């Protein structure tokens, strides 16, 4: 059984621990380094507990922590209006390829209705396939995908232009 649980301030350390795993995995595409403490760090995490319109969620499967989702109203692409951005999504390896990721995304999208943006790294082939399938199924094909979005502000740290989905629910 999968549940989406709103993370509370007392869950901050859990969220940061999950983000470190996520950022480590993502570093293979973004080519990022750890800081002097051996951590990647996520400078925006506290914002999710202090600001309105930021939504931190834990993904739980059979009451075990399986991942996280961070939703904000901060657009990936400033030229496009948006209500929500799926800022970060991470599911632990044990829970991948079992339908939990798709179920988690569907549930969290259904919790927030409006115009959405979602950014993905085109070199992360597993992510590309996942998001292509999930967004296509969720929207019944009613979305727009801009590959290699032509705005340097949207590029990843390694200089790769991002792909950006736009859709409404």
């Amino acid at each position: 059984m999968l549940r989406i649980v709103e993370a509370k301030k007392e869950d901050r350390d859990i969220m940061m621990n999950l983000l470190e795993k996520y950022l480590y995995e993502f570093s293979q595409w973004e080519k990022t380094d750890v800081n002097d403490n051996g951590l990647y760090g996520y400078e925006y995490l506290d914002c999710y507990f202090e600001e309105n319109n930021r939504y931190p969620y834990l993904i739980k499967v059979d009451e075990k922590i399986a991942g996280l989702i961070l939703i904000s109203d901060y657009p990936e692409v400033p030229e496009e209006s948006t209500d929500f951005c799926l800022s970060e999504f991470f599911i632990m390896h044990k829970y991948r390829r079992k339908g939990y990721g798709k179920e988690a995304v569907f549930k969290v999208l259904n919790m927030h209705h409006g115009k959405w943006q979602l950014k993905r790294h085109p070199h992360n082939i597993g992510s590309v396939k996942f998001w292509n399938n999930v967004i296509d199924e969720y929207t019944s094909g009613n979305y727009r995908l801009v590959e290699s979005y032509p705005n340097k502000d949207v590029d990843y740290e390694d200089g790769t232009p991002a792909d950006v989905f736009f859709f409404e629910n």
Side-chain angles (χ1 to χ4, degrees), residues 103-122:
E103 183 180 352
V105 171
F106 279 30
K107 283 186 176 196
V108 83
L109 291 176
N110 287 335
M111 294 166 66
H112 303 278
H113 294 275
K115 293 179 181 178
W116 283 85
Q117 292 183 18
L118 185 148
K119 175 178 156 179
R120 70 169 188 208
H121 197 299

Side-chain angles (χ1 to χ4, degrees), residues 88-146:
E88 311 296 348
F89 175 81
F90 175 67
I91 192 149
M92 305 282 282
H93 282 276
K94 174 182 176 179
Y95 300 100
R96 293 181 188 175
R97 292 180 171 53
K98 296 180 180 174
Y100 294 125
K102 178 174 84 170
E103 183 180 352
V105 171
F106 279 30
K107 283 186 176 196
V108 83
L109 291 176
N110 287 335
M111 294 166 66
H112 303 278
H113 294 275
K115 293 179 181 178
W116 283 85
Q117 292 183 18
L118 185 148
K119 175 178 156 179
R120 70 169 188 208
H121 197 299
H123 297 157
N124 183 347
I125 301 304
S127 171
V128 167
K129 290 177 183 177
F130 174 80
W131 289 117
N132 283 353
N133 292 331
V134 168
I135 299 302
D136 186 60
E137 184 176 335
Y138 182 79
T139 65
S140 299
N142 189 18
Y143 66 91
R144 182 168 60 99
L145 171 61
V146 179

